[in-house]
Structure formats: structure tokens, C-alpha cells
Amino acid sequence: MSSRSSKYRSMKLDYENVIPVKRPTICSNCQNYGHLAKNCTKKPTCVHCSENHKSSDCVNTNSPSCFHCSGPHKAHSMQCPIYQTSLKKINNVKTNWQTTKLKTHSGINICFLNIRSLYNKTSHILYTIHQLDLDVICLVETWLNYEIKNNELLFHGYKIFRIDRDTDTHGGGILILVKNSIHAEIQNTLSNSHIELLHISIPNGKAKPLQLINLYRPPNSSLNSSQSVLENFFNNINYSGYPLIITGDFNIDLSKNIHKNKLYHSLNSYGLTNINTGHTHITNTSQTTIDWILINHKVQHKIQNLQNTKISHSDHNQLTFTYKKIKK
């Protein structure tokens, strides 16, 4: 084996088995995955220190800090777990890094997150997918638009359901990823200045299919208008007897005055209850519970492993759980 091969073998990876023909596409300008520098319109990010300057101008080349994982290596280093995840994804090969998966034998693992710009954080989501063995990923504030195609997001092996804002307004956008091995069909969509909503159905053999809704309510939306929109939606859709889960950033703090929360009580009248009681948006000056997981009685005893986790690539916490007894 050559000296180059020995170098990578020292990472405790089997070089000959791990390095395939296809390698992840990494932009040398912004360091993100999925495109080349010649097509990049973003501001430069240093491959060495992750600061906002050209790599050629860096004065800290001897003290690297990875843009993707903050590790002591360059952004395109093979030591990076994000690189390994992308490598595995596009080549279907096995790497040796450890994972902490949600334990389940008869359910689907679901994740919800306000991602606040998906395009430049795709590698983080790919890493989370493999780390937790996720089947369904619900994201809000994707900030995507029609110019960004699904294949640029690198979620191979997953169906992509998405709604992008069709205006120049910053923010918004929702998306659901569903593993290809799980059948899913889009049922309803809703997108206006008050509510963005994406509804899919996941069959469960002879039982009634799971209804999953991913939702985003903009912070400047009128509370009365948001309530009216959702009430009109639920009044026109019959969920009676169906298991229903709603993931969403409602931009309403449930940790304070829940009894005076008009929107929550309106949803509660449809048999929906929030199961996440922990803070999900934590800043230097506040702690709020604005990200909710709403379920009806058909789901009440089928939720396991609910986890509320602080992450580095969003100012919102990540919510994960398992919906059991789903037949894949």
C-alpha cells in the first residue's frame, strides 16, 4: 500500500473498502456539499479555519477548525464524520464510526427541526440521519426556492416532499423526508402568510394510515388569523379515527400561560395534545417552547424515545421520537 493509503489507514478506516469511485462534491469557495465553486454564489468560507475569508488569505493554516463539525481538520478532510456520512450515502459502503441510534424494532424514527436554511446544512442532516437511523425528517424554515433542485440536497434514498415560498420574502419553507422503503403519499398542502403546512399519509397494513403534518407559523402572523386558517383546515378534513401527529414551529411559547393560549386550546378542541414540554428555543436572554409535537388519542400510547436535544447548527433544539407498530 502506498504512503497515501497508509495515511488514511491510520484513521482506523479500511482505506481500500471505504474509498470508492464516487466522492462527495465539495465547494472550494463556501465549503458546502453538492456543488462546485464555479457555480457558487455564496460568500467565501475558509477551508482551514471556517472564517468568512478566502482560504488563500488564511493565517491560521496550522490550527484548522472544520466548517462542518468543528473538528481539528480542514473542511474537506476525510477525518470529518460529515464527509464519511456523505461518502457512505453516495456509495452505499460501510464506515466504522459509531452511531447512537434510536432503539426500535417495529416503528419509524421521526425527527423535527427548525433548520433555518437547509441548503448550507445538508451535511449536518445527513449525519443526523445516519447517527439516529431516521426514517422521517420534518424540517421547517428551509429557505429553499425553485432554483434549488431536489438532487442538489443529496438526500439519496429518501422521498422529498417540500413547499417553498413563492415570494421574495426571507425565511419559511417546509420539507418532509421519507425513507424510500416506507410508502408515503402527499395529502394536503397549505401556504399563505399565516400558516405553511404539509400533510402526508403513511399506510400501516390493514390499520388506518398514520397522518403526519409538518407546520410552520411565521412569528409575525396574526394569532387570530392563524387560528382561523387552521380551524378552517381541520373543519374540512376528516381525521376521525386516524392516528395523527403534527410537528411544527408555532412561534408561540407553551411554557408560559398555556391556559390562555387561544391557538393551542383551539387545536386541543380537535383532540390534539402537545407532548413536548421542554424548552426548544434557548438564547442568552430567553427559554421558550415554540416547537410542538401534537398528537391525538390514536397515537397516545405509540410514542417512544422522545428526545429534546440541543444542536450546533440551529438555534432550535432537535426533537426526535419513535412511532411504534408501523409496518415498514
Side-chain angles (χ1 to χ4, degrees):
M1 186 175 286
S2 67
S3 60
R4 181 171 178 266
S5 299
S6 299
K7 174 184 177 182
Y8 290 115
R9 186 172 59 179
S10 68
M11 298 174 195
K12 298 182 180 180
L13 292 176
D14 184 342
Y15 177 83
E16 293 181 345
N17 289 335
V18 172
I19 303 301
V21 175
K22 297 180 182 179
R23 301 190 185 188
T25 300
I26 307 176
C27 176
S28 59
N29 178 58
C30 73
Q31 312 309 325
N32 282 291
Y33 286 79
H35 66 277
L36 298 174
K38 65 180 181 180
N39 301 319
C40 185
T41 59
K42 299 180 181 297
K43 294 181 179 180
T45 298
C46 180
V47 69
H48 305 288
C49 68
S50 303
E51 297 296 329
N52 294 327
H53 58 247
K54 293 182 179 180
S55 299
S56 58
D57 297 335
C58 187
V59 296
N60 296 314
T61 57
N62 294 326
S63 301
S65 176
C66 178
F67 169 73
H68 301 288
C69 71
S70 301
H73 51 256
K74 296 180 181 180
H76 54 45
S77 171
M78 287 181 56
Q79 297 180 40
C80 180
I82 306 300
Y83 184 99
Q84 293 180 31
T85 300
S86 299
L87 193 69
K88 177 182 178 182
K89 192 67 177 177
I90 64 175
N91 292 278
N92 194 29
V93 297
K94 184 177 181 180
T95 57
N96 294 326
W97 51 273
Q98 298 298 313
T99 61
T100 306
K101 298 183 178 180
L102 295 170
K103 296 179 180 179
T104 177
H105 301 286
S106 59
I108 57 172
N109 296 327
I110 302 174
C111 172
F112 170 76
L113 176 63
N114 181 323
I115 188 65
R116 291 184 58 79
S117 181
L118 173 61
Y119 189 74
N120 63 342
K121 298 174 183 175
T122 299
S123 55
H124 292 282
I125 299 301
L126 285 169
Y127 179 67
T128 302
I129 285 174
H130 289 288
Q131 184 185 43
L132 300 180
D133 190 23
L134 295 174
D135 300 300
V136 178
I137 303 92
C138 301
L139 303 173
V140 299
E141 285 213 84
T142 58
W143 301 1
L144 299 177
N145 58 55
Y146 70 93
E147 295 179 340
I148 300 174
K149 308 304 180 185
N150 283 346
N151 59 3
E152 296 181 57
L153 301 177
L154 299 179
F155 295 124
H156 308 299
Y158 286 79
K159 294 181 282 288
I160 300 177
F161 304 97
R162 59 187 264 199
I163 299 176
D164 306 330
R165 284 194 178 173
D166 56 2
T167 68
D168 294 330
T169 305
H170 180 71
I174 53 179
L175 177 147
I176 301 177
L177 298 170
V178 181
K179 190 176 287 185
N180 282 342
S181 60
I182 299 175
H183 182 68
E185 296 179 350
I186 193 165
Q187 299 296 312
N188 295 286
T189 63
L190 183 62
S191 182
N192 55 46
S193 60
H194 305 296
I195 293 292
E196 297 174 28
L197 179 153
L198 183 56
H199 167 209
I200 66 170
S201 179
I202 301 176
N204 183 23
K206 295 182 180 179
K208 289 191 174 182
L210 171 66
Q211 306 303 303
L212 177 63
I213 293 175
N214 192 27
L215 181 152
Y216 177 66
R217 175 186 171 271
N220 58 351
S221 171
S222 161
L223 182 57
N224 289 334
S225 297
S226 300
Q227 181 177 332
S228 177
V229 168
L230 286 175
E231 287 177 350
N232 183 64
F233 177 80
F234 284 108
N235 288 337
N236 286 280
I237 303 295
N238 180 19
Y239 290 104
S240 177
Y242 288 86
L244 173 61
I245 299 174
I246 301 177
T247 61
D249 177 359
F250 287 80
N251 277 300
I252 300 173
D253 185 12
L254 275 188
S255 65
K256 298 178 181 178
N257 298 323
I258 188 172
H259 299 295
K260 296 181 180 180
N261 191 314
K262 291 176 58 179
L263 179 58
Y264 180 74
H265 280 284
S266 173
L267 294 173
N268 192 242
S269 70
Y270 291 95
L272 295 165
T273 304
N274 176 54
I275 60 172
N276 170 56
T277 58
H279 294 126
T280 60
H281 189 232
I282 302 173
T283 69
N284 292 332
T285 59
S286 67
Q287 299 184 72
T288 56
T289 305
I290 59 177
D291 302 295
W292 309 351
I293 305 293
L294 300 169
I295 64 172
N296 67 358
H297 71 283
K298 290 286 185 178
V299 181
Q300 187 174 1
H301 300 294
K302 296 182 180 180
I303 300 296
Q304 297 178 329
N305 307 323
L306 177 61
Q307 299 175 27
N308 182 336
T309 307
K310 183 175 177 59
I311 56 176
S312 62
H313 50 280
S314 175
D315 58 356
H316 288 248
N317 285 9
Q318 174 180 281
L319 301 176
T320 55
F321 59 94
T322 299
Y323 176 70
K324 65 179 183 178
K325 296 183 179 178
I326 282 283
K327 298 179 181 178
K328 297 184 180 182

